[in-house]
Each structure stands twice: as C-alpha cells, then as structure tokens.
Amino acid sequence: MSPRLLTIVPFIFFLGQAHAADPTLDYFKELNKNMTRIQVHKDVGEPKRVMGSGVVIDVYGLADGSEVSIVWSGSEGNLMYVSHGSTTLVK
C-alpha cells in the first residue's frame, strides 16, 4: 500500500449573519435603552468581539477602523450605554 497525502483544508467560521458592510455610526446613534441584545444583533449582526465580566460588551467595527461598544447588564440584560471612543451615544 502506498502512502497517501493528507490534505488539510482550513475553514473559517463566523458568528451570526454575514453582512456586506460594517454598520455606520448613525445606526448606533438610533439605538435606545428599550432594545434587547437580540434585536440589536438581528438588526446589525453579531459583534466582532464580546468582552466583559458581569456586564457584556459587544464591540462593533466601523468602516473607518474605529469601534462602537454596546454595554449590557449581562447576556440577557438591559442596554446600559453605547460609546464610540470617549463619546457616549446612548445613556
């Protein structure tokens, strides 16, 4: 029996839906504290990363390379605030 060449094919998995473009800052300015985390994820997609301990911070990338952070009071909690750099967009 002759040896076989093993080919490894890399796969990339993405969370959530694929989106054609990064969300704009204007979208995040329209968020309000009555929205759920599920609503935001459905509207704009999954964040590029999630951080936090006790609170959950969804971080989204913008086309200009900056980031928007949405802070939640837990994974199923209420929207606490939205920030872009040092500017608070929703309190």
Coordinates of all heavy atoms in Angstrom, one line a residue:
M1 N 0.8 -1.2 0.0 CA 0.0 0.0 0.0 C 0.9 1.2 0.0 O 1.8 1.3 0.8 CB -0.9 0.0 1.3 CG -2.1 0.7 1.1 SD -3.1 0.5 2.6 CE -4.6 0.3 1.9
S2 N 0.6 2.2 -0.9 CA 1.4 3.4 -1.0 C 0.9 4.4 0.0 O -0.3 4.5 0.3 CB 1.4 3.9 -2.4 OG 0.1 4.3 -2.8
P3 N 1.8 5.3 0.5 CA 1.4 6.4 1.4 C 0.5 7.4 0.7 O 0.6 7.6 -0.4 CB 2.7 7.0 1.9 CG 3.8 6.5 0.9 CD 3.2 5.3 0.2
R4 N -0.4 7.9 1.5 CA -1.4 8.9 1.0 C -1.0 10.3 1.5 O -0.6 10.4 2.6 CB -2.8 8.6 1.3 CG -3.3 7.3 0.7 CD -4.7 7.1 1.1 NE -5.2 5.8 0.6 CZ -6.4 5.5 0.5 NH1 -7.3 6.3 0.9 NH2 -6.8 4.3 0.0
L5 N -1.2 11.2 0.7 CA -1.0 12.6 1.1 C -2.3 13.1 1.8 O -3.4 13.1 1.2 CB -0.7 13.5 -0.2 CG -0.5 15.0 0.1 CD1 0.7 15.2 1.0 CD2 -0.3 15.7 -1.2
L6 N -2.1 13.6 3.0 CA -3.2 14.2 3.7 C -3.3 15.6 3.4 O -2.4 16.4 3.6 CB -3.0 13.9 5.2 CG -4.1 14.5 6.1 CD1 -5.5 13.9 5.9 CD2 -3.7 14.3 7.6
T7 N -4.5 16.1 2.9 CA -4.7 17.5 2.6 C -5.6 18.1 3.7 O -6.7 17.6 4.0 CB -5.4 17.7 1.3 OG1 -4.5 17.1 0.3 CG2 -5.5 19.1 0.9
I8 N -5.1 19.1 4.3 CA -5.9 19.8 5.4 C -6.5 21.1 4.7 O -5.7 21.9 4.2 CB -5.0 20.1 6.6 CG1 -4.5 18.8 7.2 CG2 -5.8 21.0 7.6 CD1 -3.5 19.0 8.3
V9 N -7.8 21.2 4.8 CA -8.4 22.4 4.3 C -8.9 23.3 5.4 O -9.7 22.8 6.3 CB -9.6 22.0 3.4 CG1 -10.4 23.2 2.9 CG2 -9.2 21.1 2.3
P10 N -8.4 24.5 5.5 CA -8.8 25.4 6.6 C -10.2 25.9 6.4 O -10.7 26.1 5.3 CB -7.8 26.5 6.6 CG -7.4 26.5 5.2 CD -7.4 25.1 4.6
F11 N -11.0 26.0 7.5 CA -12.3 26.6 7.5 C -12.4 27.8 8.4 O -11.7 27.8 9.4 CB -13.3 25.5 8.0 CG -13.5 24.4 7.0 CD1 -12.8 23.2 7.1 CD2 -14.5 24.5 6.0 CE1 -13.0 22.2 6.3 CE2 -14.7 23.5 5.1 CZ -14.0 22.3 5.2
I12 N -13.1 28.7 8.0 CA -13.3 29.9 8.9 C -14.8 29.9 9.2 O -15.7 29.9 8.3 CB -12.9 31.2 8.1 CG1 -11.4 31.1 7.8 CG2 -13.2 32.4 9.0 CD1 -10.9 32.2 6.9
F13 N -15.1 30.1 10.5 CA -16.5 30.1 10.9 C -16.8 31.5 11.5 O -15.9 32.1 12.2 CB -16.8 29.1 12.0 CG -16.7 27.7 11.5 CD1 -15.5 27.0 11.7 CD2 -17.8 27.1 10.9 CE1 -15.4 25.7 11.2 CE2 -17.7 25.8 10.4 CZ -16.5 25.1 10.6
F14 N -17.9 32.1 11.1 CA -18.3 33.4 11.6 C -19.5 33.2 12.5 O -20.4 32.4 12.2 CB -18.6 34.3 10.4 CG -17.5 34.6 9.5 CD1 -17.2 33.9 8.4 CD2 -16.6 35.6 9.9 CE1 -16.1 34.2 7.6 CE2 -15.5 35.9 9.1 CZ -15.3 35.2 7.9
L15 N -19.6 34.0 13.5 CA -20.8 34.1 14.3 C -21.8 34.9 13.6 O -21.5 35.9 13.0 CB -20.5 34.7 15.7 CG -19.6 33.9 16.6 CD1 -19.2 34.8 17.8 CD2 -20.1 32.6 17.0
G16 N -23.1 34.5 13.7 CA -24.2 35.3 13.2 C -24.2 35.4 11.6 O -23.6 34.6 11.0
Q17 N -24.9 36.4 11.1 CA -25.1 36.5 9.7 C -23.9 37.3 9.1 O -23.3 38.1 9.7 CB -26.4 37.3 9.4 CG -27.6 36.7 10.1 CD -28.8 37.6 10.0 OE1 -28.7 38.7 9.5 NE2 -29.9 37.1 10.4
A18 N -23.7 37.0 7.8 CA -22.7 37.8 7.1 C -23.3 39.1 6.6 O -24.4 39.1 6.2 CB -22.1 37.0 5.9
H19 N -22.6 40.2 6.7 CA -23.1 41.5 6.3 C -22.2 42.0 5.2 O -20.9 41.9 5.3 CB -23.2 42.4 7.5 CG -24.2 42.0 8.4 ND1 -25.5 42.3 8.3 CD2 -24.1 41.2 9.5 CE1 -26.2 41.7 9.3 NE2 -25.4 41.1 10.1
A20 N -22.8 42.7 4.3 CA -22.0 43.3 3.1 C -21.0 44.4 3.6 O -20.0 44.6 3.0 CB -22.9 43.8 2.1
A21 N -21.4 45.2 4.6 CA -20.6 46.3 5.0 C -20.7 46.4 6.5 O -21.6 46.0 7.1 CB -21.0 47.6 4.3
D22 N -19.7 47.1 7.1 CA -19.7 47.4 8.5 C -20.9 48.4 8.8 O -21.2 49.2 7.9 CB -18.4 48.0 9.0 CG -17.3 47.0 8.9 OD1 -17.5 45.8 9.2 OD2 -16.1 47.4 8.7
P23 N -21.5 48.3 9.9 CA -22.5 49.2 10.3 C -22.0 50.7 10.4 O -20.8 50.8 10.6 CB -23.1 48.8 11.6 CG -22.0 47.9 12.2 CD -21.2 47.3 11.0
T24 N -22.8 51.6 10.2 CA -22.4 53.0 10.3 C -22.6 53.6 11.7 O -23.5 53.0 12.4 CB -23.1 53.9 9.3 OG1 -24.5 53.9 9.7 CG2 -23.0 53.4 7.9
L25 N -22.0 54.6 12.0 CA -22.1 55.3 13.3 C -23.6 55.7 13.5 O -24.1 55.7 14.6 CB -21.1 56.4 13.5 CG -21.1 57.1 14.8 CD1 -20.7 56.1 15.9 CD2 -20.1 58.2 14.8
D26 N -24.2 56.2 12.4 CA -25.6 56.6 12.5 C -26.5 55.6 13.1 O -27.4 55.9 13.8 CB -26.1 57.1 11.2 CG -25.4 58.4 10.8 OD1 -24.9 59.2 11.6 OD2 -25.4 58.7 9.5
Y27 N -26.3 54.3 12.7 CA -27.2 53.3 13.2 C -27.1 53.2 14.7 O -28.1 53.1 15.4 CB -26.8 51.9 12.7 CG -27.5 50.8 13.4 CD1 -28.9 50.5 13.0 CD2 -27.0 50.1 14.4 CE1 -29.6 49.6 13.7 CE2 -27.8 49.2 15.1 CZ -29.1 48.9 14.7 OH -29.8 48.0 15.4
F28 N -25.9 53.3 15.3 CA -25.7 53.2 16.7 C -26.3 54.4 17.5 O -26.8 54.2 18.6 CB -24.3 53.0 17.1 CG -23.8 51.6 16.5 CD1 -23.0 51.6 15.4 CD2 -24.0 50.5 17.2 CE1 -22.6 50.4 14.9 CE2 -23.6 49.2 16.7 CZ -22.8 49.2 15.6
K29 N -26.4 55.5 16.8 CA -27.0 56.7 17.5 C -28.5 56.5 17.6 O -29.1 57.2 18.4 CB -26.7 57.9 16.6 CG -25.2 58.4 16.7 CD -25.0 59.6 15.8 CE -23.5 60.0 15.8 NZ -23.3 61.1 14.9
E30 N -29.1 55.6 16.8 CA -30.5 55.4 16.9 C -30.9 54.3 17.9 O -32.1 54.2 18.1 CB -31.0 55.0 15.5 CG -30.8 56.1 14.4 CD -31.5 57.4 14.7 OE1 -32.7 57.3 15.2 OE2 -30.9 58.4 14.5
L31 N -30.0 53.7 18.5 CA -30.3 52.7 19.5 C -31.0 53.3 20.7 O -30.7 54.5 21.0 CB -29.1 51.9 19.9 CG -28.4 51.0 18.8 CD1 -27.2 50.3 19.4 CD2 -29.3 50.0 18.2
N32 N -31.8 52.6 21.4 CA -32.3 53.1 22.7 C -32.3 52.0 23.7 O -32.2 50.8 23.4 CB -33.7 53.7 22.4 CG -34.7 52.6 22.1 OD1 -35.1 51.8 22.9 ND2 -35.2 52.6 20.8
K33 N -32.5 52.4 25.0 CA -32.4 51.5 26.1 C -33.5 50.5 26.1 O -33.5 49.5 26.9 CB -32.3 52.3 27.4 CG -31.0 53.0 27.6 CD -30.9 53.5 29.0 CE -29.5 53.7 29.3 NZ -29.3 53.9 30.7
N34 N -34.5 50.6 25.3 CA -35.6 49.7 25.3 C -35.3 48.5 24.4 O -36.1 47.5 24.4 CB -36.9 50.3 24.9 CG -37.4 51.3 25.9 OD1 -37.3 51.1 27.1 ND2 -37.9 52.4 25.4
M35 N -34.3 48.5 23.6 CA -33.9 47.5 22.7 C -33.2 46.3 23.4 O -32.5 46.6 24.4 CB -33.0 48.0 21.6 CG -33.7 49.0 20.7 SD -32.6 49.6 19.4 CE -32.8 48.2 18.2
T36 N -33.5 45.1 23.0 CA -32.8 44.0 23.6 C -31.6 43.7 22.8 O -31.4 44.1 21.6 CB -33.7 42.7 23.5 OG1 -33.9 42.3 22.1 CG2 -35.1 43.0 24.2
R37 N -30.7 42.9 23.4 CA -29.5 42.5 22.7 C -29.8 41.6 21.4 O -29.1 41.8 20.4 CB -28.6 41.6 23.7 CG -27.2 41.4 23.2 CD -26.4 40.9 24.4 NE -25.0 40.7 23.9 CZ -24.4 39.5 24.0 NH1 -25.0 38.5 24.7 NH2 -23.2 39.4 23.6
I38 N -30.8 40.8 21.5 CA -31.3 40.0 20.4 C -31.7 40.9 19.2 O -31.4 40.7 18.1 CB -32.4 39.0 20.8 CG1 -31.8 38.0 21.7 CG2 -33.0 38.4 19.6 CD1 -32.8 37.1 22.4
Q39 N -32.4 42.0 19.5 CA -32.9 42.9 18.5 C -31.7 43.6 17.8 O -31.7 43.7 16.6 CB -33.8 44.0 19.1 CG -35.2 43.6 19.4 CD -35.9 44.7 20.2 OE1 -35.4 45.3 21.2 NE2 -37.0 45.1 19.6
V40 N -30.7 44.0 18.6 CA -29.6 44.7 18.0 C -28.8 43.7 17.2 O -28.4 44.0 16.0 CB -28.7 45.3 19.1 CG1 -27.4 45.8 18.6 CG2 -29.4 46.4 19.9
H41 N -28.6 42.5 17.6 CA -27.8 41.5 16.8 C -28.6 41.2 15.5 O -28.0 41.0 14.5 CB -27.6 40.2 17.6 CG -26.6 40.4 18.7 ND1 -26.2 39.3 19.5 CD2 -25.9 41.4 19.2 CE1 -25.3 39.7 20.4 NE2 -25.1 41.0 20.2
K42 N -29.9 41.1 15.6 CA -30.7 40.8 14.4 C -30.6 42.0 13.4 O -30.5 41.8 12.2 CB -32.2 40.6 14.8 CG -33.0 40.2 13.6 CD -34.5 40.0 14.1 CE -35.3 39.6 12.9 NZ -36.7 39.4 13.3
D43 N -30.6 43.2 13.9 CA -30.6 44.4 13.0 C -29.2 44.6 12.4 O -29.1 45.0 11.2 CB -31.0 45.7 13.8 CG -32.5 45.7 14.1 OD1 -33.2 44.8 13.5 OD2 -32.9 46.5 14.9
V44 N -28.1 44.5 13.2 CA -26.8 44.9 12.7 C -25.8 43.7 12.6 O -24.8 43.9 12.0 CB -26.2 46.0 13.6 CG1 -25.7 45.5 14.9 CG2 -25.2 46.8 12.9
G45 N -26.2 42.6 13.1 CA -25.3 41.4 13.1 C -24.6 41.2 14.4 O -24.7 42.0 15.3
E46 N -23.8 40.2 14.4 CA -23.1 39.8 15.6 C -21.9 40.8 15.7 O -21.3 41.2 14.7 CB -22.6 38.4 15.5 CG -23.7 37.3 15.4 CD -24.4 37.2 16.8 OE1 -23.8 37.4 17.8 OE2 -25.6 37.0 16.7
P47 N -21.5 41.1 16.9 CA -20.3 41.9 17.1 C -19.0 41.2 16.7 O -19.0 40.0 16.6 CB -20.3 42.2 18.6 CG -21.0 41.0 19.2 CD -22.0 40.6 18.2
K48 N -18.0 42.0 16.4 CA -16.7 41.4 16.0 C -16.0 40.8 17.2 O -15.2 39.9 17.1 CB -15.8 42.4 15.3 CG -15.1 43.4 16.1 CD -14.2 44.2 15.2 CE -13.2 45.1 16.0 NZ -12.3 45.8 15.2
R49 N -16.3 41.2 18.4 CA -15.9 40.6 19.6 C -16.8 40.9 20.8 O -17.5 41.9 20.8 CB -14.4 40.9 20.0 CG -14.1 42.2 20.4 CD -12.6 42.3 20.8 NE -12.3 43.6 21.2 CZ -12.0 44.7 20.5 NH1 -12.0 44.6 19.2 NH2 -11.8 45.9 21.0
V50 N -16.7 40.1 21.8 CA -17.6 40.2 23.0 C -16.6 40.2 24.2 O -15.8 39.3 24.3 CB -18.6 39.1 23.1 CG1 -19.4 39.3 24.4 CG2 -19.5 39.2 21.9
M51 N -16.8 41.1 25.1 CA -15.9 41.2 26.3 C -16.8 41.4 27.5 O -18.0 41.5 27.4 CB -14.9 42.4 26.2 CG -14.1 42.5 24.9 SD -13.0 43.9 24.8 CE -13.9 45.2 25.4
G52 N -16.1 41.4 28.7 CA -16.8 41.7 29.9 C -16.8 40.6 30.9 O -16.6 39.5 30.6
S53 N -17.1 41.0 32.1 CA -17.2 40.2 33.3 C -18.3 40.8 34.2 O -18.0 41.8 34.8 CB -15.9 40.0 34.0 OG -16.0 39.2 35.1
G54 N -19.4 40.2 34.2 CA -20.5 40.8 35.0 C -21.4 41.6 34.0 O -22.6 41.4 34.0
V55 N -20.8 42.4 33.2 CA -21.5 43.1 32.1 C -21.0 42.5 30.8 O -20.0 41.9 30.8 CB -21.3 44.6 32.1 CG1 -21.8 45.3 33.4 CG2 -19.9 45.0 31.9
V56 N -21.8 42.6 29.8 CA -21.4 42.2 28.5 C -21.1 43.4 27.6 O -22.0 44.3 27.5 CB -22.4 41.2 27.9 CG1 -22.1 40.8 26.4 CG2 -22.6 40.0 28.7
I57 N -20.0 43.4 26.9 CA -19.7 44.5 26.0 C -19.5 43.9 24.6 O -18.6 43.1 24.3 CB -18.3 45.2 26.4 CG1 -18.4 45.6 27.9 CG2 -18.0 46.3 25.5 CD1 -17.1 46.0 28.5
D58 N -20.5 44.3 23.7 CA -20.4 43.9 22.3 C -19.6 45.0 21.6 O -20.0 46.2 21.7 CB -21.8 43.8 21.7 CG -22.6 42.6 22.2 OD1 -22.0 41.7 22.6 OD2 -23.8 42.7 22.1
V59 N -18.6 44.6 20.9 CA -17.7 45.6 20.1 C -17.9 45.4 18.6 O -17.8 44.3 18.1 CB -16.3 45.4 20.5 CG1 -15.4 46.4 19.8 CG2 -16.1 45.5 22.0
Y60 N -18.3 46.5 18.0 CA -18.5 46.5 16.5 C -17.5 47.4 15.8 O -17.2 48.5 16.4 CB -19.9 47.1 16.2 CG -21.1 46.2 16.6 CD1 -21.6 46.2 17.8 CD2 -21.6 45.3 15.7 CE1 -22.6 45.3 18.2 CE2 -22.6 44.4 16.0 CZ -23.1 44.4 17.3 OH -24.2 43.6 17.6
G61 N -17.0 46.9 14.7 CA -16.1 47.7 13.9 C -16.8 48.6 12.9 O -17.8 48.2 12.3
L62 N -16.3 49.8 12.7 CA -16.8 50.7 11.7 C -15.9 50.7 10.5 O -14.7 50.4 10.6 CB -17.0 52.1 12.3 CG -18.0 52.2 13.5 CD1 -18.1 53.7 13.9 CD2 -19.4 51.7 13.1
A63 N -16.4 51.2 9.4 CA -15.6 51.3 8.1 C -14.3 52.1 8.3 O -13.3 51.8 7.7 CB -16.5 51.8 7.0
D64 N -14.3 53.1 9.2 CA -13.2 54.0 9.3 C -12.1 53.4 10.3 O -11.1 54.0 10.6 CB -13.6 55.3 9.8 CG -14.2 55.4 11.2 OD1 -14.3 54.3 11.9 OD2 -14.6 56.5 11.7
G65 N -12.4 52.1 10.8 CA -11.4 51.5 11.7 C -11.7 51.7 13.1 O -11.1 51.0 14.0
S66 N -12.6 52.6 13.5 CA -13.0 52.9 14.9 C -14.0 51.8 15.3 O -14.4 51.0 14.6 CB -13.5 54.3 15.0 OG -14.8 54.4 14.3
E67 N -14.3 51.8 16.6 CA -15.1 50.8 17.2 C -16.2 51.5 18.0 O -16.1 52.5 18.6 CB -14.4 49.9 18.1 CG -13.3 49.0 17.3 CD -12.6 48.1 18.2 OE1 -12.4 48.4 19.4 OE2 -12.1 47.1 17.7
V68 N -17.4 50.8 18.1 CA -18.5 51.2 18.9 C -18.7 50.0 19.9 O -18.7 48.9 19.6 CB -19.8 51.4 18.1 CG1 -21.0 51.5 19.0 CG2 -19.7 52.6 17.2
S69 N -18.9 50.4 21.2 CA -19.1 49.4 22.2 C -20.5 49.6 22.8 O -21.0 50.7 23.1 CB -18.1 49.6 23.4 OG -16.8 49.4 23.0
I70 N -21.2 48.5 22.9 CA -22.5 48.4 23.5 C -22.4 47.7 24.8 O -22.0 46.5 24.8 CB -23.6 47.8 22.6 CG1 -23.6 48.5 21.2 CG2 -25.0 47.8 23.3 CD1 -24.6 47.8 20.2
V71 N -22.8 48.3 25.9 CA -22.6 47.7 27.2 C -24.0 47.2 27.7 O -24.9 48.0 27.8 CB -21.9 48.6 28.2 CG1 -21.8 48.0 29.6 CG2 -20.6 49.1 27.7
W72 N -24.1 45.9 28.1 CA -25.3 45.3 28.5 C -25.1 44.9 30.0 O -24.0 44.5 30.3 CB -25.7 44.1 27.7 CG -25.7 44.4 26.2 CD1 -24.7 44.3 25.3 CD2 -26.9 44.8 25.5 NE1 -25.2 44.6 24.0 CE2 -26.5 44.9 24.1 CE3 -28.2 45.0 25.8 CZ2 -27.4 45.3 23.1 CZ3 -29.1 45.4 24.9 CH2 -28.7 45.6 23.5
S73 N -26.2 44.8 30.7 CA -26.1 44.4 32.1 C -26.3 42.8 32.2 O -27.2 42.3 32.8 CB -27.2 45.0 33.0 OG -28.5 44.7 32.4
G74 N -25.4 42.1 31.5 CA -25.5 40.7 31.4 C -25.9 40.2 30.0 O -26.3 41.0 29.2
S75 N -25.8 38.9 29.8 CA -26.0 38.4 28.4 C -27.5 38.6 27.9 O -27.7 38.7 26.8 CB -25.6 37.0 28.3 OG -26.4 36.2 29.1
E76 N -28.4 38.6 28.9 CA -29.8 38.8 28.5 C -30.3 40.1 29.1 O -31.5 40.4 29.2 CB -30.7 37.7 29.0 CG -30.3 36.3 28.4 CD -30.5 36.3 26.9 OE1 -31.4 36.9 26.4 OE2 -29.6 35.6 26.3
G77 N -29.4 41.0 29.6 CA -29.8 42.2 30.3 C -30.1 43.4 29.5 O -30.3 43.3 28.2
N78 N -30.3 44.5 30.1 CA -30.7 45.7 29.5 C -29.5 46.5 28.9 O -28.4 46.4 29.4 CB -31.4 46.6 30.5 CG -32.6 46.0 31.1 OD1 -33.4 45.3 30.4 ND2 -32.9 46.2 32.4
L79 N -29.8 47.3 27.9 CA -28.7 48.1 27.3 C -28.4 49.2 28.4 O -29.3 49.9 28.8 CB -29.3 48.7 26.0 CG -28.2 49.5 25.2 CD1 -28.7 49.4 23.7 CD2 -28.1 50.9 25.6
M80 N -27.1 49.3 28.7 CA -26.7 50.3 29.7 C -26.3 51.6 29.0 O -26.7 52.7 29.3 CB -25.6 49.8 30.6 CG -26.1 48.6 31.4 SD -24.8 47.8 32.4 CE -24.3 49.0 33.5
Y81 N -25.4 51.5 28.0 CA -24.9 52.6 27.2 C -24.2 52.2 26.0 O -23.8 51.0 25.9 CB -24.1 53.6 28.0 CG -22.8 53.1 28.5 CD1 -21.6 53.2 27.8 CD2 -22.7 52.5 29.8 CE1 -20.4 52.8 28.2 CE2 -21.4 52.0 30.2 CZ -20.3 52.2 29.4 OH -19.1 51.7 29.9
V82 N -24.1 53.1 25.0 CA -23.4 52.8 23.8 C -22.3 53.9 23.7 O -22.6 55.1 23.9 CB -24.3 52.9 22.6 CG1 -23.6 52.7 21.3 CG2 -25.5 51.9 22.7
S83 N -21.1 53.5 23.3 CA -20.0 54.5 23.2 C -19.2 54.3 21.9 O -19.1 53.2 21.4 CB -19.1 54.5 24.4 OG -18.4 53.3 24.5
H84 N -18.6 55.5 21.5 CA -17.8 55.5 20.3 C -16.5 56.3 20.8 O -16.6 57.5 20.9 CB -18.4 56.1 19.1 CG -17.6 56.3 17.9 ND1 -17.2 57.5 17.4 CD2 -17.0 55.3 17.1 CE1 -16.4 57.3 16.3 NE2 -16.3 56.0 16.1
G85 N -15.5 55.6 21.0 CA -14.3 56.3 21.6 C -14.7 56.8 23.0 O -15.3 56.1 23.8
S86 N -14.4 58.1 23.2 CA -14.8 58.7 24.5 C -16.2 59.4 24.5 O -16.6 60.0 25.5 CB -13.7 59.7 24.9 OG -13.7 60.8 23.9
T87 N -16.9 59.2 23.4 CA -18.2 59.8 23.2 C -19.3 58.8 23.6 O -19.3 57.7 23.0 CB -18.5 60.3 21.8 OG1 -17.4 61.2 21.5 CG2 -19.8 61.0 21.6
T88 N -20.2 59.2 24.5 CA -21.4 58.3 24.8 C -22.5 58.7 23.8 O -22.9 59.8 23.8 CB -21.8 58.5 26.2 OG1 -20.7 58.2 27.1 CG2 -23.0 57.6 26.6
L89 N -23.0 57.7 23.1 CA -24.0 57.9 22.1 C -25.4 57.7 22.7 O -26.4 58.4 22.3 CB -23.8 56.9 20.9 CG -22.5 57.0 20.2 CD1 -22.4 55.9 19.2 CD2 -22.3 58.4 19.6
V90 N -25.6 56.7 23.6 CA -26.8 56.4 24.2 C -26.5 56.2 25.7 O -25.6 55.5 26.1 CB -27.5 55.1 23.7 CG1 -28.7 54.8 24.4 CG2 -27.7 55.3 22.2
K91 N -27.3 56.9 26.6 CA -27.1 56.8 28.0 C -28.3 56.2 28.6 O -29.4 56.5 28.2 CB -26.8 58.1 28.7 CG -25.6 58.8 28.3 CD -25.5 60.1 29.1 CE -24.6 61.1 28.5 NZ -24.4 62.2 29.3

